[in-house]
Amino acid sequence: MSNKIRLGILGGGGDSLIGILHRIASSMYDKYEIVGGVFNPVWEENIGFANQIGLPTNRIYVDFDKMIEEELKLPVSERMQVVSILTPNFLHFPMANKLLENGFNVICEKPMTTSYDEAKILQETLKKANTVFAVTYTYTGYPMIRQMRQMIADGVIGNVQKIDAQYYQGWINPVIHDDELRANTWRLDPEKGGISCCIGDIGTHAFDMLEYVSQLRIKSVLADLNFVYEDNQMDVDGTVLLRTENGVKGVICTSQIATGEENNFIVKIYGEKAGLKWEQENPNYLYLMQDGEPLRVLKPGHSYNSEISLDGTKLPPGHPEGIFDSMANIYKGVAKAVNGEKYDHGEFPTMIDGVRGMSFIEKVVESHQKGNIWVEI
Amino acid sequence: MSNKIRLGILGGGGDSLIGILHRIASSMYDKYEIVGGVFNPVWEENIGFANQIGLPTNRIYVDFDKMIEEELKLPVSERMQVVSILTPNFLHFPMANKLLENGFNVICEKPMTTSYDEAKILQETLKKANTVFAVTYTYTGYPMIRQMRQMIADGVIGNVQKIDAQYYQGWINPVIHDDELRANTWRLDPEKGGISCCIGDIGTHAFDMLEYVSQLRIKSVLADLNFVYEDNQMDVDGTVLLRTENGVKGVICTSQIATGEENNFIVKIYGEKAGLKWEQENPNYLYLMQDGEPLRVLKPGHSYNSEISLDGTKLPPGHPEGIFDSMANIYKGVAKAVNGEKYDHGEFPTMIDGVRGMSFIEKVVESHQKGNIWVEI
Amino acid sequence: MSNKIRLGILGGGGDSLIGILHRIASSMYDKYEIVGGVFNPVWEENIGFANQIGLPTNRIYVDFDKMIEEELKLPVSERMQVVSILTPNFLHFPMANKLLENGFNVICEKPMTTSYDEAKILQETLKKANTVFAVTYTYTGYPMIRQMRQMIADGVIGNVQKIDAQYYQGWINPVIHDDELRANTWRLDPEKGGISCCIGDIGTHAFDMLEYVSQLRIKSVLADLNFVYEDNQMDVDGTVLLRTENGVKGVICTSQIATGEENNFIVKIYGEKAGLKWEQENPNYLYLMQDGEPLRVLKPGHSYNSEISLDGTKLPPGHPEGIFDSMANIYKGVAKAVNGEKYDHGEFPTMIDGVRGMSFIEKVVESHQKGNIWVEI
Amino acid sequence: MSNKIRLGILGGGGDSLIGILHRIASSMYDKYEIVGGVFNPVWEENIGFANQIGLPTNRIYVDFDKMIEEELKLPVSERMQVVSILTPNFLHFPMANKLLENGFNVICEKPMTTSYDEAKILQETLKKANTVFAVTYTYTGYPMIRQMRQMIADGVIGNVQKIDAQYYQGWINPVIHDDELRANTWRLDPEKGGISCCIGDIGTHAFDMLEYVSQLRIKSVLADLNFVYEDNQMDVDGTVLLRTENGVKGVICTSQIATGEENNFIVKIYGEKAGLKWEQENPNYLYLMQDGEPLRVLKPGHSYNSEISLDGTKLPPGHPEGIFDSMANIYKGVAKAVNGEKYDHGEFPTMIDGVRGMSFIEKVVESHQKGNIWVEI
């Protein structure tokens, strides 16, 4: 009998990229065993997918409610311990809420819910449940991001005086200029995508990341969103001015119509002693910039890195790890929490990150709609 | 007898970096001969500097007014044809104005004046003078910037949908945290530096550059400036939201407290067909990004570049030219204008760039002071 | 019951990095299930490791011979289908040979054997066995390497006129200058490491890679090896001149004393129409250089890539995959072969690569020992 | 009267790139004044070019011999002090020799002569002349190359254990495959280009550079040259194994058929304490690699650089200087020598560099012709 954590999966079947990402991430540290779930609402596809990925079908369920019902009949020692929610966004909240109410640990894709109100309810549920909850802001799992956070916490850059994130993609460019493609893109449909596209999808990553690495709280935002066409209801680009609780200023620049950009997420934190810079597309480099000193480029796996960074690297320097490894580190952190082992607060994003992310989205949209004014988060 | 253009220099003596930049730039295409000027208000240093750079001293003058007086006595065929103004900012306007009134062609360092009002007066003077006037937004002289402008003009990226510039330096970081250093930095003294430090010094470069490459006019700005300390009166960092006349949105991010950054000026223009990106610290690369196509990296000197780009490159590909070459291209353009040769509007920044730059500075400061609201340029 | 391929593992227990690499690689495409093996010759560590990675212990065996014996008692439908050999080098040959003789498919770490003679015997055994055999030249699994190979095969660069690989590491630098460290490094001990360190460990990667991407056969070598100290018996650096069967010249530069280098493996192939370049530390970029054309940078996941490249990418462009993904592609290819599916010759390195690699090592050493003369492979 | 050094120029007229390079380099530090010379053997073009670059024509001479004759008639205080030789290679020796015999200081383009024998004669002439002689291995003037040399001299990397240079260009690729183009390329004609094309043109740069930065003497070479076509008499590619006097090994890889490469010259020196790397196409970065330390990237103009590096930078960090600045530093060094000022041995390449470069070329060709054997320089 395996002693791995029993993992259930909701969604992520078929060609789902997020499904691949979570399955691989869960396997990387030999900590999880996928035991079942619901991959697809259509039964044939659900069971077909389970076969395709070589999974026994005895715990593949017809739907979410049935899964909960049946799993609860199992003894605790056999029951799913963690359930990962990879479904469309509007299902995150009801599923997560019910899972928490029934004592399951939950790993939830972002955005955590479709509204701040839902997020607050979920937060309350978690308080009563006392289980582990993680929201997968994937990029926080990168070793050099963890190193960046730790260096800032250790005072390497001194007091932070500027926070800055750029997150530019171009994938909506061909869509936005083509009526048919646009109509078929769920992210551009407010019914399915919620109140925001660009901010909701990638702006939240930038927001969470700035708070993650700096450990500062962003207090207010002033946003200008960009819809390109008047008949487009969803933002596809936007700039957000920031102020933190302690008065630091900053900016988040996001776009999904930055034509030709892939997934160009850049994080920069400048302090009175030094600056730190990181780029997602080349994630194994962390740049330390100091007045009058040579630029230092830190890379994963070296002993000069902090414990939390090294814990997230599996191979020696020069063997590039990537985004699967980043998500795997989040799963690893959750495994520690589930197993009652010691772990650092930075090892996985939690409910508070999810709640704040939802607040950020709503306040950014509010700032824009009210004419680009400052709004408190 | 040399047939070069007779050039006079005002300022730029001693260790002045801007002096070196202009002297070298003027010499690169064998078009100019420095014949005299006023390098320094102190006579001994003035004459000493002339000796140091190997210049005959017969046309080194005791001050600006004397220079005008004496030069006007010379026959036109011997008189200075172009005068470069490299003095502290507050002298730009009176010198340029008098030079234009007396029929000299002028190359003026930026910021062109200390206020928008002065700029408007200068513009009027130029109209009457009918001579050549250039303001040295140096970076527009880079071959790959000229290529970027031409490609946008040629429709390579289609309609522009986003303009974006980042200009980050760190040199004020050690200054701002040290009271004594701060007191001795003229740029942080409103008496000497005018109403703005960061926006006035580098924000204008970003503003001019975005207009230069996109050939769009920025119509309104919303700015949040950053002074770091309450007792610091001058902005050292700031973000400016932009809207152009035709409704394109954009952003300028600037900082002089981006600790450890050197002169990190990045220009990005995204169109419906492609994106273009350029970085000043590695100026010989222009990145063309297209949906679903390999990234293309254009470099100077190749025949695939446009005429205006190739005209600014002196050596074959792979022989890196730099910032002196960039300024030299501006001098080359002015030489064409002075000599009555055909030249392209993009070959040197003109009065209109100077005037708009001054307006930008004032409107940004106004936007900030009024609580981060939209202000029209 | 899972329909995954039943995988056995030999070696790779404890902190073994190669163990992690193979386990993760085997899991990534949901194609394999690890069912047992021998992780360690010490029983307590063997069984302890199986527990640690959450593996049922019923098919953890006391040693290799016992494993063969017991597995053969199982019905074919339950028996291990593939066995991965991750043991110290000297065990590769006897294990692989016996596995093949008994009808198992084999994935073997490199170097395949400790001598060319062993390699030839193994090749004969495989001919009789008619099973699948792969040797894990990991880097050939990178999507952009596969793209490079395909582009060359498609004639994109025309006739190849120069092949060039550099493989520089620095990890032996601190070892070679410290007698105690040196004595404790098995790779520097001819008893354990065979006749070559640098060439055997990384030179073979370079050799195999050049043949893989160019599909040319290297025919003769002239080598100069470097031992740094006279009392060091193993090469830690070396340069090898190359000639292919069709007369193309080339060079392999390798070092393990290139101080500060991590795993800097660069592959360059120049043809009469274009050049291609790839760097292992930034594996998601493939550079296409053409006379008088902008540099093109190809990245994984784009539809402009060939089928064999796209088959090895799991996420959209901009989501960096790494070395685990590279090895996973080799496992995926082997899975296709084992399952009788169609696959391309380039999907995994085979016996012929292993045999040629062993020949390369021996001939390079021979060339050096005979005074840097040309030797035929 | 200017107190600049009076400079004469031989060759470099018309569209000559080397002419532009030297003229600009001579002007950059305000140290030289071009007073005359012979730009072209055709009088009309000679005088026309002088006019074109705005030079008085009174000291433009009909030919070299006339120039010597007339200049010697002038008082020493008016006579040319330095003469730069930018003519076709075969004229370097007779011109330099006569100039030295007549007491002129000489700056000579590389290759210094067309044979080692000529080089030795020139060396003897210089001994008697006791003037200043420089050969323009341009790249040694880059500030970060000077920094590299100084750091090695200061022991930053410890004892050198590996020297490595790659110099890849692609410009001969389109030529070599086209009979007509090939016939019209003087570098591929032994009558005009001497005994070697690739080694003579760029291999010598690599050789001189390795000796310059490491201050080691290369003692023997083993070379394999590549002619691509049998009917091509000149090497267009080649690899040279190296051994220094103190037993360090190394390699020079050169090519002019590395299709699509521009001027990709990379210099790497590895020592027992650290490694240093520099790339000509991005000359403002020097990479310091140390075991277990973050990569350090040094840039010009920072106070952490050595005096000889800082002396070669004119602007603050972040303002990229380029190849003109590099050559200007060589001219600056010569000016110091001519003016009797203190200067460092590394400020310009001298006769010894020229002589050794010619020996290198001849020995490399000899090694190749004798079947790729070791030959002593």
Side-chain angles (χ1 to χ4, degrees), chain A residues 318 320, chain C residues 138-149 164-167 205-206 209 213 263-270 275-289 298-300 321-323 326, chain D residues 261:
Chain C
T138 321
Y139 306 120
T140 61
Y142 275 116
M144 298 324 286
I145 280 295
R146 293 181 170 202
Q147 176 65 14
M148 192 174 180
R149 172 182 162 101
D164 180 315
Q166 174 203 282
Y167 200 150
H205 272 299
M209 181 62 88
V213 293
N263 199 31
N264 193 358
F265 182 20
I266 301 176
V267 184
K268 289 167 278 189
I269 308 287
Y270 299 101
L276 282 165
K277 194 186 303 192
W278 176 87
E279 302 181 358
Q280 193 275 144
E281 293 189 6
N282 295 288
N284 295 312
Y285 301 86
L286 176 62
Y287 303 93
L288 174 64
M289 302 171 287
L298 291 85
K299 305 184 200 176
E321 304 187 33
I323 193 165
S326 178
Chain D
E261 295 280 11

Side-chain angles (χ1 to χ4, degrees), chain A residues 255-275:
Chain A
S255 188
Q256 295 177 314
I257 51 152
T259 311
E261 296 279 11
E262 298 185 344
N263 200 31
N264 192 358
F265 182 19
I266 302 176
V267 184
K268 290 166 276 187
I269 308 287
Y270 299 102
E272 63 184 358
K273 291 202 280 184

Side-chain angles (χ1 to χ4, degrees), chain C residues 161-162 164 166 168 170-171 173-174 176-177 222-229 237-243 247-251 253-255 257-261 264 268 270-277 289-291 368 371-374, chain D residues 161-162 164 166 168 170-171 173-174 176-177 222-229 237-243 247-251 253-255 257-261 264 268 270-277 289-291 368 371-374:
Chain C
Q161 62 199 18
K162 167 113 183 171
D164 180 315
Q166 174 203 282
Y168 280 0
W171 73 271
N173 181 60
I176 200 79
H177 301 301
L222 183 161
D224 191 30
L225 304 181
N226 190 349
F227 303 78
V228 179
Y229 289 101
D237 174 286
T239 305
V240 186
L241 307 181
L242 309 171
R243 289 180 187 166
V248 171
K249 295 191 175 185
V251 63
C253 298
T254 62
S255 188
I257 52 152
T259 311
E261 295 279 10
N264 193 358
K268 289 167 278 189
Y270 299 101
E272 63 185 356
K273 292 202 280 185
L276 282 165
K277 194 186 303 192
M289 302 171 287
Q290 296 162 283
D291 297 328
H368 177 77
N372 320 111
I373 61 164
W374 287 100
Chain D
Q161 61 199 20
K162 166 113 182 170
D164 180 316
Q166 174 203 281
Y168 280 0
W171 74 271
N173 181 60
I176 200 80
H177 302 301
L222 183 161
D224 190 31
L225 304 182
N226 190 349
F227 303 78
V228 179
Y229 289 100
D237 174 286
T239 306
V240 186
L241 306 181
L242 308 171
R243 289 180 187 167
V248 171
K249 294 191 175 185
V251 64
C253 299
T254 62
S255 188
I257 53 151
T259 312
E261 295 280 11
N264 193 358
K268 289 167 277 188
Y270 299 101
E272 63 185 357
K273 292 203 278 184
L276 282 165
K277 194 187 303 192
M289 303 172 287
Q290 296 162 283
D291 297 327
H368 177 77
N372 319 113
I373 62 164
W374 287 101

Side-chain angles (χ1 to χ4, degrees), chain A residues 142-184:
Chain A
Y142 275 115
M144 298 324 285
I145 280 295
R146 294 180 169 202
Q147 177 64 14
M148 192 174 180
R149 172 183 163 100
Q150 192 60 49
M151 288 171 76
I152 294 172
D154 291 347
V156 171
I157 70 168
N159 290 325
V160 170
Q161 61 199 19
K162 167 112 184 172
I163 60 177
D164 180 315
Q166 174 203 282
Y167 200 150
Y168 281 0
Q169 301 179 326
W171 73 271
I172 290 189
N173 181 60
V175 174
I176 201 78
H177 301 301
D178 181 311
D179 285 347
E180 199 175 324
L181 282 176
R182 206 205 292 182
N184 291 325

Side-chain angles (χ1 to χ4, degrees), chain C residues 147-222:
Chain C
Q147 176 65 14
M148 192 174 180
R149 172 182 162 101
Q150 192 61 48
M151 288 171 77
I152 294 171
D154 291 348
V156 171
I157 69 168
N159 289 326
V160 170
Q161 62 199 18
K162 167 113 183 171
I163 61 177
D164 180 315
Q166 174 203 282
Y167 200 150
Y168 280 0
Q169 301 179 327
W171 73 271
I172 290 190
N173 181 60
V175 172
I176 200 79
H177 301 301
D178 181 310
D179 285 346
E180 199 175 325
L181 282 176
R182 205 205 291 182
N184 292 325
T185 301
W186 71 263
R187 283 197 191 278
L188 295 177
D189 178 354
E191 298 287 314
K192 296 178 188 152
I195 60 170
S196 167
C197 175
C198 183
I199 294 298
D201 191 21
I202 62 176
T204 42
H205 272 299
F207 170 82
D208 182 72
M209 181 62 88
L210 288 176
E211 294 204 337
Y212 178 80
V213 293
S214 74
Q215 299 198 45
L216 299 177
R217 291 292 187 95
I218 294 166
K219 187 182 150 203
S220 48
V221 294
L222 183 161

